[in-house]
Amino acid sequence: MTSAALRSRAWKLLEMVTTPLLPSDYLDLVSPLRAGADLRGRIEAVHPETGDAATIVIRPGRGWRGHTAGQYVRIGVDVDGVRLWRAYSLTSPTNRQDGRVTITVKAIPDGKVSNHLVRRAKPGTLIQLDQATGDFVLPQAKPAKVLYLTAGSGITPVMGMLRDTEFDDVVMVHCAPQPQDVIFRNELHDLVAAKKLRLTEVHTDTDGMLDIARLDELVPDWAERETWACGPAGLLDAAEEHWTEHGVRERLHTERFRPSIVVAGDGGEVTFSATGKTVDADGATPLLDVGEEAGVLMPSGCRMGICFGCITPLKAGAVRDLRTGEITEAEPGVLIQTCVSAAAGPCDIER
Amino acid sequence: MTAIDPTAHLTAEQIEELGRELDAIRDEVIASRGEKDAAYIRKVISAQRKLELVSRGVLLFSIFPPAWLIGTAGLSVAKIMDNMEIGHNVLHGQWDWMRDPKIHSTTWEWDHVSPSEQWKHSHNELHHTYTNVIGKDNDLGYGIMRVDEDQKWHPFHLGQPLWNFINACFFEYGIAAYDLELGKNLRKRRRNNPEFRARAKAVGRKIRKQVLKDYVIHPLLSGPSFLTTLAATFTANLVRNIWSHSVIMCGHFPEGVQVFERRSIKGETRGQWYLRQMMGSANISGSRAMHFMTGNLSHQIEHHLFPDLPSNRYAEVAVKVRALFEKYELEYVTGPLPKQVFSAWRKVFRLSLPNKKPKVKTPDREQELVAA
């Protein structure tokens, strides 16, 4: 018998010992970051960067497969007891000796997770991790000239690149409201002093928003540069238009952080994606009734919110709890009780 | 549907107002659910697992009597925690709001021969929706007992104290059988129904795994302590079964708890539903340890009003609920465990015999009920 087969036999036996739990349920008590466990990380330190941004140092579990500069990672953090998932760019170099990775988070107004991480996260806390992902990365072959065009927290994936790979000719144009809002400012200035980077800071409180036409003046050879741009949608839209107009669109790589923002309204178009049905729903009719009216086979139970027999994945959009008025937004793994939830805007129910 | 309706003094408006006041209590807890609650359930789960691990470890040496005693006691408590404060409550969706897939009603499996999926249907859906409605709520006597004067007496009921005792000893099997609606399904042609067969198979699988674990593998691992470990796990299962049976009997069977007719729930309003839960449930009073070991089902009334609120919050909710009982002049049935268990058993014995008097609503009869 091969060792793999032997191991799997031994594991089966162990499962018989622990049923109905799994051996991992017990191992998680002592070693949540071990190889073979669900991927988690432990926050080891939180370093403030600016008034509203901080770098979180994470020791990933043994299953972490590493990352490429510029990629992001989805993390699951328990905020007020509720697990919420968000994606953040990795800001650490890929070859960090101690195996830790960092993300740098800017607290956005009303941002549950970002404010929690920047202001309340404690070293020692376990978080859930996904593997790093994203194609906002550098190519295998080094481009001769590089431009980084960033704004606000859009600097984070680019910082990961800057720390990871040295180029001969790198220019960065970075926008932030004021000098003290520039994340990694000291490190950027050190790079400038070491002649490893040419940096233009645009302080939007005094200089106004960056007009993309000003690039000609700030970086005259911008069109020859392989460019990575990350920031608010307005900036990226303008950049894409500008690069297209000049026929160099293929040199521009962009990264958008939040593709869509859920606006919670009253009622909306409900899609039952598994059945392929779409119907209009008002803000007062339970989604269970909406689905059944539309001829979708919905799981149901008590029909009054107590038995949890109707819970169904919410894939997109937002719903309102008809009892409390509480809004639930779609996130991976979010299940809703369809008998006491109504559409709060367009939503997608996996049925 | 007892001779006197203890809610007769309430107007329809009052009942709806009561419903609104209960909704407000619920909303308050939901709005304040948070980190502390999450930490609570995680701590309980972790403690349960450690206790089970240590107890099973000690039982490897159960050939020595002190080890047997300690290990058996620990394993009994661990099994009770698993079923009551953790399993029952997680499967109610009380912790679903945490969005932790490992502590979620859709993924949880417990050390109990009834598979989670089936138990959720019969318990959450049928029992909690149709609480104490004769013919709809199978928990009422588990289909083997007569629990109200208005139920027809049958000579079969003469044996119900015995059935109930056997049920207590093998309670988890009783529950599994009742989830399967075994009696009904074994009759007629239903036993060949593919859906029933699939569910029966799932129960069989679960039983096989549990029996293998408790009565074969762990004793084998104990080597020379084989027999003593076997005895220990059997004892732990017995203790867990009798304990949970007792707690659950106290929830709906003690004197003073009302049962309802099938037609009485037609077109029931939210206020009326709440009222039925209030009148159909009974509490157990006691220390914090007692509440914990009952999985907070000692707060059965509060649990039935708000089955999806986290169990650790029932104690604070109980104070407010009790105040409402007083305000609306309703009887809050509660008492220490021995008293409630005795009361429930007395009812089992009493109803094993046919009714003493023809059931007529006479002043005499009312007098007697008040005295009881």
Side-chain angles (χ1 to χ4, degrees):
Chain A
M1 204 188 292
T2 64
S3 71
L6 209 66
R7 252 206 314 276
S8 115
R9 278 259 172 114
W11 196 253
K12 282 250 164 63
L13 187 73
L14 211 52
E15 280 177 4
M16 281 157 76
V17 171
T18 60
T19 185
L21 298 181
L22 296 171
S24 61
D25 291 322
Y26 290 99
L27 291 172
D28 282 352
L29 291 176
V30 286
S31 178
L33 301 183
R34 72 189 188 283
D38 288 356
L39 189 57
R40 304 182 183 90
R42 178 172 278 130
I43 296 180
E44 297 208 323
V46 179
H47 303 302
E49 294 284 354
T50 65
D52 59 0
T55 290
I56 320 287
V57 181
I58 300 165
R59 182 156 77 93
R62 295 274 298 278
W64 176 251
R65 293 201 290 264
H67 74 283
T68 307
Q71 285 193 315
Y72 62 87
V73 61
R74 272 175 21 92
I75 66 171
V77 189
D78 293 337
V79 182
D80 296 333
V82 182
R83 181 156 306 163
L84 299 173
W85 286 83
R86 295 288 186 273
Y88 292 105
S89 297
L90 288 152
T91 47
S92 49
T94 53
N95 57 354
R96 203 175 141 130
Q97 289 301 311
D98 61 4
R100 316 292 199 261
V101 295
T102 64
I103 54 172
T104 302
V105 180
K106 184 175 185 291
I108 54 172
D110 300 326
K112 279 187 193 164
V113 177
S114 60
N115 278 289
H116 177 84
L117 286 173
V118 172
R119 310 196 198 283
R120 295 196 301 276
K122 296 244 160 29
T125 309
L126 274 186
I127 57 172
Q128 314 297 311
L129 282 183
D130 270 355
Q131 296 292 349
T133 184
D135 48 14
F136 188 71
V137 293
L138 298 172
Q140 292 279 320
K142 277 192 190 184
K145 294 166 128 192
V146 170
L147 165 63
Y148 294 125
L149 177 59
T150 58
S153 58
I155 196 169
T156 54
V158 165
M159 199 62 203
M161 295 177 178
L162 270 177
R163 284 171 172 169
D164 202 58
T165 317
E166 273 187 35
F167 291 101
D168 304 331
D169 183 354
V170 192
V171 182
M172 174 186 257
V173 176
H174 179 65
C175 309
Q178 298 180 62
Q180 63 267 34
D181 298 320
V182 175
I183 308 174
F184 312 120
R185 192 159 192 250
N186 289 342
E187 192 175 340
L188 290 173
H189 284 240
D190 287 348
L191 286 172
V192 170
K195 303 215 182 305
K196 288 181 176 163
L197 173 73
R198 275 187 287 151
L199 173 70
T200 302
E201 286 180 41
V202 179
H203 300 135
T204 52
D205 275 1
T206 45
D207 307 342
M209 297 295 261
L210 174 70
D211 175 6
I212 204 81
R214 274 185 67 205
L215 262 186
D216 283 330
E217 150 210 337
L218 298 173
V219 191
D221 58 352
W222 66 269
E224 295 162 28
R225 291 177 177 272
E226 203 68 24
T227 302
W228 282 267
C230 184
L235 175 74
L236 299 184
D237 290 345
E240 281 172 4
E241 204 175 307
H242 194 65
W243 261 255
T244 308
E245 259 172 40
H246 290 80
V248 284
R249 178 66 183 84
E250 74 285 353
R251 291 208 187 127
L252 177 68
H253 313 274
T254 55
E255 171 98 316
R256 288 166 195 269
F257 282 159
R258 285 203 76 167
S260 61
I261 287 171
V262 173
V263 184
D266 208 14
E269 197 169 72
V270 181
T271 307
F272 296 93
S273 46
T275 336
K277 287 209 165 98
T278 300
V279 288
D280 274 324
D282 60 39
T285 312
L287 288 161
L288 176 58
D289 295 346
V290 173
E292 288 179 340
E293 287 281 301
V296 178
L297 183 64
M298 304 285 286
S300 67
C302 65
R303 310 187 80 95
M304 53 191 297
I306 60 165
C307 85
F308 288 64
C310 65
I311 55 176
T312 302
L314 175 65
K315 283 180 71 188
V319 300
R320 178 176 284 107
D321 188 313
L322 289 165
R323 300 162 301 178
T324 58
E326 198 185 359
I327 298 286
T328 301
E329 286 180 24
E331 275 182 52
V334 166
L335 299 161
I336 53 159
Q337 292 174 274
T338 60
C339 72
V340 287
S341 301
C347 51
D348 185 336
I349 311 293
E350 195 176 294
R351 278 293 155 202
Chain B
M1 89 186 172
T2 11
I4 312 163
D5 176 4
T7 65
H9 61 287
L10 296 178
T11 65
E13 290 78 39
Q14 279 178 311
I15 294 174
E16 290 323 294
E17 177 56 24
L18 167 66
R20 278 190 291 277
E21 290 185 70
L22 286 166
D23 276 336
I25 294 175
R26 179 177 188 280
D27 292 350
E28 219 174 289
V29 176
I30 295 228
S32 62
R33 266 185 328 206
E35 211 172 309
K36 264 194 191 160
D37 303 293
Y40 169 79
I41 192 64
R42 292 215 167 89
K43 201 170 113 190
V44 172
I45 290 172
S46 148
Q48 190 276 337
R49 287 179 184 170
K50 286 172 189 158
L51 178 61
E52 177 160 359
L53 216 56
V54 170
S55 305
R56 299 238 188 221
V58 171
L59 285 177
L60 296 178
F61 310 97
S62 58
I63 201 161
F64 305 107
W68 190 91
L69 269 176
I70 293 167
T72 306
L75 187 58
S76 304
V77 172
K79 278 180 177 271
I80 287 170
M81 284 168 75
D82 173 89
N83 279 191
M84 311 291 274
E85 181 67 342
I86 304 172
H88 169 270
N89 296 333
V90 170
L91 291 176
H92 257 292
Q94 290 183 6
W95 304 97
D96 281 13
W97 58 274
M98 287 166 35
R99 298 186 183 175
D100 181 345
K102 293 212 187 281
I103 310 177
H104 200 276
S105 65
T106 55
T107 57
W108 194 265
E109 196 50 85
W110 56 349
D111 182 22
H112 192 287
V113 295
S114 179
S116 290
E117 225 25 68
Q118 298 191 22
W119 183 84
K120 275 193 293 183
H121 171 73
S122 55
H123 181 84
N124 292 3
E125 191 178 331
L126 301 181
H127 168 57
H128 273 271
T129 312
Y130 303 112
T131 310
N132 288 22
V133 177
I134 292 179
K136 292 282 261 183
D137 177 4
N138 291 334
D139 269 30
L140 209 65
Y142 317 110
I144 54 170
M145 286 194 295
R146 181 169 173 262
V147 292
D148 190 83
E149 270 84 358
D150 283 3
Q151 282 174 301
K152 223 177 113 187
W153 182 83
H154 188 275
F156 172 81
H157 291 126
L158 280 172
Q160 77 177 20
L162 180 64
W163 317 147
N164 199 38
F165 177 70
I166 296 171
N167 190 32
C169 296
F170 301 98
F171 193 46
E172 56 176 329
Y173 290 90
I175 295 282
Y178 132 78
D179 288 349
L180 279 173
E181 298 186 83
L182 209 55
K184 201 161 91 188
N185 279 316
L186 283 184
R187 262 178 267 136
K188 302 181 218 157
R189 267 178 247 134
R190 284 205 203 177
R191 73 182 75 183
N192 290 324
N193 176 313
E195 196 250 327
F196 167 69
R197 292 181 74 105
R199 294 200 301 128
K201 232 171 123 179
V203 174
R205 218 169 21 240
K206 194 89 196 283
I207 292 176
R208 209 162 45 241
K209 280 188 179 174
Q210 304 285 46
V211 166
L212 202 62
K213 167 172 97 160
D214 276 351
Y215 302 131
V216 179
I217 296 189
H218 282 281
L220 276 179
L221 286 174
S222 310
S225 300
F226 181 92
L227 282 177
T228 45
T229 297
L230 186 78
T233 36
F234 181 80
T235 308
N237 279 329
L238 191 69
V239 169
R240 177 259 307 266
N241 286 341
I242 291 177
W243 175 258
S244 43
H245 177 268
S246 302
V247 168
I248 282 152
M249 283 249 295
C250 293
H252 302 289
F253 296 162
E255 300 287 354
V257 171
Q258 308 295 309
V259 298
F260 307 88
E261 273 178 54
R262 211 186 264 242
R263 64 184 150 78
S264 73
I265 62 162
K266 257 201 145 170
E268 198 176 52
T269 63
R270 180 135 184 94
Q272 287 168 334
W273 183 84
Y274 268 139
L275 191 60
R276 176 158 57 84
Q277 304 304 327
M278 292 167 83
M279 303 321 296
S281 312
N283 281 5
I284 303 166
S285 57
S287 63
R288 281 183 63 173
M290 169 67 87
H291 294 313
F292 178 78
M293 288 306 286
T294 63
N296 275 296
L297 292 178
S298 47
H299 300 299
Q300 187 76 227
I301 297 171
E302 290 73 23
H303 171 59
H304 261 268
L305 291 169
F306 314 114
D308 59 346
L309 289 189
S311 56
N312 61 323
R313 306 295 290 272
Y314 285 141
E316 69 182 74
V317 164
V319 179
K320 297 174 189 167
V321 167
R322 194 161 187 169
L324 284 183
F325 268 86
E326 272 163 31
K327 179 176 166 187
Y328 289 90
E329 294 170 19
L330 297 166
E331 192 198 352
Y332 190 80
V333 182
T334 185
L337 184 79
K339 177 181 162 235
Q340 298 296 81
V341 170
F342 178 75
S343 173
W345 271 101
R346 193 173 57 186
K347 199 170 180 181
V348 169
F349 273 95
R350 179 160 54 80
L351 294 169
S352 66
L353 301 171
N355 298 341
K356 276 184 198 147
K357 289 181 188 174
K359 210 182 101 13
V360 194
K361 282 183 195 174
T362 60
D364 276 341
R365 164 92 181 140
E366 285 187 12
Q367 286 294 313
E368 183 193 298
L369 271 168
V370 171

